[in-house]
Amino acid sequence: MMHFHAMNVAVSAFYKFVAVADPRALRDALYAAMSSRGLKGTILVAPEGINGTISGAPQEMASFLAELRADPRFADLVTKDAAAQAHPFKRLKVKLKREIVSIRAPEADPTKHVGTYVDPSDWNALMTDPDVVVIDTRNTYEVEAGTFPGALDPRLDHFTQWPAFVDDKLGDVAGKKIAMFCTGGIRCEKASAYMLAHGFAEVYHLQGGILNYLAKVPASQSLWRGKCYVFDERRTVDEKDVSSGGS
């Protein structure tokens, strides 16, 4: 007699800023490696690196990530892992892009300089420091789902508006400590690189983003309020969805 159990699907989010000399060749290799393992989701490939969220059977996911890390460019790839009852993605897409997160400011180059990473365990202390300006770098609709109380909302419709926000609104805080956060950490890499290129001296960002914070900080100590918007069919997640001990 056959027993059916709820499907256990691994979900993995990752990014890596690293020079990719032949994005098309990497795109084709990633597609083949994922397709053969039945993985779904999206990976963006650009000359500056990769950015993806994918799902699949746990053993197939582990096999794919091991193959990806065998490439010296991605040997230290950090993933944010979660589990789902079913695929949160319908299909597999590996896309060539000019940037893995679009800001349209060449000086925002995380391979040259980025802000100081802040471990989730240290974030509360930094964020509640009165000398620190905390900024939510996400788009307005994401901020409205949930955020850290007291964080500045730049009112962005698109991340390409970040340089204008910094140039127009942050001139009077250039001498202060800036602490930024985003969903998974990738926006803050470019946001901090842009600010460092424009004269901001002390720039910090939450390592691994909100998802890492929710996974690692106990709910009793968490300062997060609301839901975290994610870009798959789950739509939003909170502590119970991501506190799986994944990195």
Side-chain angles (χ1 to χ4, degrees):
M1 183 176 176
M2 192 174 289
H3 295 279
F4 291 96
H5 299 282
M7 184 179 179
N8 182 28
V9 173
V11 181
S12 188
F14 51 83
Y15 69 85
K16 173 73 178 177
F17 284 100
V18 63
V20 176
D22 188 345
R24 187 172 297 278
L26 178 59
R27 182 258 167 213
D28 293 346
L30 290 174
Y31 189 92
M34 290 179 65
S35 180
S36 66
R37 293 174 171 93
L39 302 183
K40 298 180 182 180
T42 300
I43 299 180
L44 307 181
V45 180
E48 67 180 9
I50 62 172
N51 176 24
T53 307
I54 60 176
S55 60
Q59 66 273 21
E60 299 293 351
M61 179 72 77
S63 169
F64 170 73
L65 292 175
E67 181 175 325
L68 184 54
R69 290 186 177 113
D71 182 328
R73 295 173 294 184
F74 305 109
D76 59 351
L77 184 76
V78 175
T79 62
K80 286 173 285 294
D81 306 307
Q85 293 301 315
H87 274 288
F89 307 106
K90 287 191 169 78
R91 59 186 65 87
L92 166 61
K93 291 181 276 191
V94 187
K95 301 178 180 177
L96 287 173
K97 294 280 187 179
R98 288 182 183 159
E99 301 177 81
I100 55 174
V101 58
S102 184
I103 192 173
R104 296 180 194 156
E107 70 272 30
D109 183 354
T111 65
K112 291 182 179 171
H113 48 202
V114 293
T116 302
Y117 296 105
V118 181
D119 188 86
S121 62
D122 299 320
W123 180 250
N124 287 0
L126 179 66
M127 195 175 62
T128 53
D129 183 331
D131 294 325
V132 171
V133 177
V134 182
I135 306 174
D136 191 332
T137 69
R138 301 169 304 150
N139 293 350
T140 296
Y141 67 90
E142 299 171 79
V143 177
E144 288 170 353
T147 191
F148 288 109
L152 186 61
D153 175 9
R155 308 297 296 175
L156 304 178
D157 294 317
H158 306 283
F159 189 47
T160 51
Q161 295 168 332
W162 176 259
F165 163 72
V166 172
D167 299 348
D168 298 345
K169 301 289 197 302
L170 295 184
D172 57 342
V173 298
K176 288 197 166 192
K177 293 179 184 175
I178 306 291
M180 297 177 292
F181 62 92
C182 53
T183 306
I186 187 169
R187 270 193 180 209
C188 291
E189 300 259 1
K190 284 216 164 171
S192 67
Y194 183 85
M195 296 182 83
L196 290 169
H198 287 263
F200 289 79
E202 286 195 79
V203 182
Y204 301 85
H205 46 110
L206 177 58
Q207 188 158 29
I210 299 158
L211 296 178
N212 196 29
Y213 179 92
L214 294 178
K216 291 187 173 173
V217 175
S220 60
Q221 297 170 26
S222 176
L223 298 180
W224 176 261
R225 296 294 177 266
K227 294 269 192 175
C228 180
Y229 197 97
V230 291
F231 297 88
D232 59 47
E233 287 161 30
R234 295 173 296 173
R235 307 313 290 171
T236 60
V237 296
D238 56 19
E239 285 95 338
K240 68 181 185 301
D241 299 311
V242 296
S243 55
S244 57
S247 58

